[in-house]
Amino acid sequence: MFWRIFLYLAFQSVGGFSGWFFARNVAPGNALVGLLVGMVAAGLAWFLVDAVRGVKLLRWLRMGDATTPAMSGGLWGEVADRTRRQLKSRERQTQASDERLQDFLAALQASPNGVTLLDAQAHIEWFNQTAASHFGFETQRDVLQHFGNLVRDPGFAAYFSARDFRRDVTMPGRADTPTRPVKLSVQLHPYSDGKMLLLSRDVTALEQADAMRRDFVANVSHEIRTPLTVLAGFVETLQTLALDEHERHRYLDLMAQQSSRMQTLVSDLLTLSRLEGSPPVGATEWVPVHLLMQQVAQEVHALTEHLSQTSGQPHVIEFDEFEGTELAGAHSELLSAMANLAGNAVRYTPAGGTIHVSWRMLPEGRGEFSVQDTGSGIAAEHIPRLTERFYRVDSSRSRDTGGTGLGLAIVKHVAQRHGAELKIESTPGKGSTFSLVFPPARVKAIDPAL
């Protein structure tokens, strides 16, 4: 401001002196008039120069670059410099806000949950990729569309109309099909003048786990209740009726069978509980394959003899030679898995059928244990579910032969803990082949002579 006043006074001084000097030389009597004219002319000149600088500043404010100074010196130069600093500060703040916004949107994009922003009229303002996959949204097509027009689920419509958003609602996802259900948990959270945040979460696995839990409890209850009912009936008979020795022995034998069935079920449940969630087995213990096969053969022959007492015709059991190979893993678990596969083949093969147990080396050093039977076979739609707990293709037949419905579930978990793969091949009417394929790191060839 001081410089501005000083410049104005300098103009006045120079203009007045010039007017006075010119008038004194031309018309000495008009020196005072020349002084006044000179001062007025100098004021107009100062105003013109100042107006030019002001116009230049205005043009810079309209179209200039904040990084380039508009001018230097004077009041307008000071105004331009301060304005440029303010603009640069605002630009830095805007850029920082934009970066924070982009970081926030990137975080929402990375969220495993679907995020959809709705305005007060439930029009879509923004959604992340997870929400797009949940509801089948497309950015170019669905932004600003009404959410209710795109998601036509009666359950969600009732939830939205009730305006009670304290709980979530479960609805089918975009990819939901009868064979592969997809369930979404959706909840609305109001914010900022009627706007809403919609969160969606894929709960298909949780729904399936809950259904499996309910089925598991129901199956265990059924499996235990049946032999308990039989035992209770026999106990009541023994207590109330006068039986001869033969009848007493027969009832006691039947009670022993039901007791053994419950013991087997409890044992399988404990085994499955121990295997589930356990870490992989180390490769420090090496078990000879021929030793495992000897123990499997003993269990299979004992089962065959037991079943042949009722059918009258034993199965034909064939075991290949297994010398020269060792497996790395837990002896008891490997034996349990192999014995379950062989035992299932015996149970599901009609009397007089053939069960062939083999071991062979595969390319790349892998080893394969397989059990092939001549049973009735399994339809293709049942194969993916065979390793589920208590899943049976023919429940009545499995119970008649002493199966608990947990054998293949145990085999699956043993295979996972040993890095092996369970393969199932079956043709209805021709039989089945169950195989465990072990990785090269768990298979070792040895010299039988050593």
Side-chain angles (χ1 to χ4, degrees), residues 317-334:
I317 311 296
E318 299 175 349
F319 277 82
D320 287 349
E321 295 293 333
F322 301 100
E323 296 289 339
T325 311
E326 289 184 340
L327 275 177
H331 186 168
S332 59
E333 294 182 17
L334 293 173

Side-chain angles (χ1 to χ4, degrees), residues 115-128:
V115 180
T116 306
L117 303 182
L118 307 176
D119 65 12
Q121 288 73 42
H123 294 106
I124 299 173
E125 293 184 335
W126 184 89
F127 52 83
N128 66 356

